[in-house]
């Protein structure tokens, strides 16, 4: 695990739409993820529009993103949530399902989906990743989103689309 935030990417100057889908569960931590992500996006992409959708828990994040992507698509989606392990395998099953679903959505829709649905062993780990300053995953998600938006915009400029793209 990284113990520091990655460096800030260059600013994205164009007006873009980003969607954050965040769990309400473990509110203290997920609210902090959301606030930090929105603050960082505001600094890195000051002209961007950020839509926020809150869902009950981590398991509901992928289906909500699928619904968003079947409408007017944003240039990037950020998935935020927190799963804390308990005495059973439930947390691991939910985390694995969310991860697989988010990856499949990103590939199918060819859109960056930043995965920061965290699986933590306890509240101490959750605090360090959601509220702490050194490895704040909300800020990290915003930086990853900004980098991916920049990469996809560069691809759009440098590699023309063809009409015979597969719908993989």
């Amino acid at each position: 695990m990284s113990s520091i935030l990655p460096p800030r990417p260059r600013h994205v100057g164009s007006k873009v739409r980003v969607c954050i889908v965040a769990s309400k569960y473990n509110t203290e931590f997920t609210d902090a993820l959301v606030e930090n992500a929105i603050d960082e996006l505001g600094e890195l992409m000051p002209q961007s529009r950020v839509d926020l959708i809150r869902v009950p828990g981590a398991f509901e994040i992928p289906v909500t993103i699928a619904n968003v992507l079947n409408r007017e698509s944003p240039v990037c989606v950020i998935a935020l949530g927190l799963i804390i392990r308990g005495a059973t395998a439930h947390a691991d099953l939910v985390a694995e399902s969310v991860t697989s679903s988010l990856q499949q959505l990103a590939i199918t829709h060819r859109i960056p989906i930043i995965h920061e649905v965290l699986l933590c062993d306890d509240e101490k780990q959750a605090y360090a990743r959601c509220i702490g300053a050194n490895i704040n995953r909300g800020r990290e998600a915003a930086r990853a989103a900004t980098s991916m938006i920049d990469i996809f915009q560069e691809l759009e400029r440098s590699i023309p689309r063809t009409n015979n793209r597969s719908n993989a």
Side-chain angles (χ1 to χ4, degrees):
M1 178 200 71
S2 172
S3 62
I4 58 170
L5 280 171
R8 280 191 161 179
R10 68 182 183 173
H11 286 358
V12 172
S14 59
K15 191 170 192 149
V16 296
R17 180 172 159 245
V18 175
C19 182
I20 296 174
V21 178
S23 167
K24 294 179 187 176
Y25 203 74
N26 293 309
T27 305
E28 173 187 6
F29 302 111
T30 56
D31 284 356
L33 285 172
V34 169
E35 289 171 23
N36 282 290
I38 290 173
D39 288 349
E40 192 77 0
L41 287 171
E43 291 178 29
L44 295 172
M45 297 187 293
Q47 296 182 37
S48 65
R49 171 181 153 187
V50 179
D51 296 332
L52 173 63
I53 302 170
R54 297 300 294 258
V55 297
F59 193 75
E60 292 77 27
I61 292 172
V63 71
T64 304
I65 291 173
N67 193 298
V68 166
L69 295 178
N70 285 329
R71 299 169 190 278
E72 184 184 331
S73 289
V75 295
C76 184
V77 178
I78 299 174
L80 300 173
L82 176 69
I83 303 165
I84 298 178
R85 280 194 175 96
T88 68
H90 180 75
D92 292 291
L93 294 171
V94 170
E96 186 176 324
S97 173
V98 168
T99 297
S100 293
S101 297
L102 293 177
Q103 182 65 64
Q104 189 58 50
L105 285 166
I107 291 167
T108 300
H109 291 274
R110 295 183 185 102
I111 185 169
I113 298 177
I114 308 305
H115 178 356
E116 287 297 343
V117 179
L118 309 174
L119 176 60
C120 295
D121 289 327
D122 53 39
E123 288 190 8
K124 183 178 177 184
Q125 280 185 354
Y127 185 90
R129 287 159 182 78
C130 300
I131 298 172
N134 290 338
I135 54 173
N136 187 284
R137 298 300 187 217
R139 291 200 178 278
E140 190 172 297
R143 290 178 185 188
T146 304
S147 292
M148 291 303 294
I149 291 166
D150 187 40
I151 290 166
F152 273 48
Q153 287 178 342
E154 183 59 33
L155 286 171
E156 192 67 31
R157 285 189 293 272
S158 63
I159 303 172
R161 290 183 185 226
T162 62
N163 290 335
N164 56 358
R165 285 177 45 186
S166 68
N167 290 328

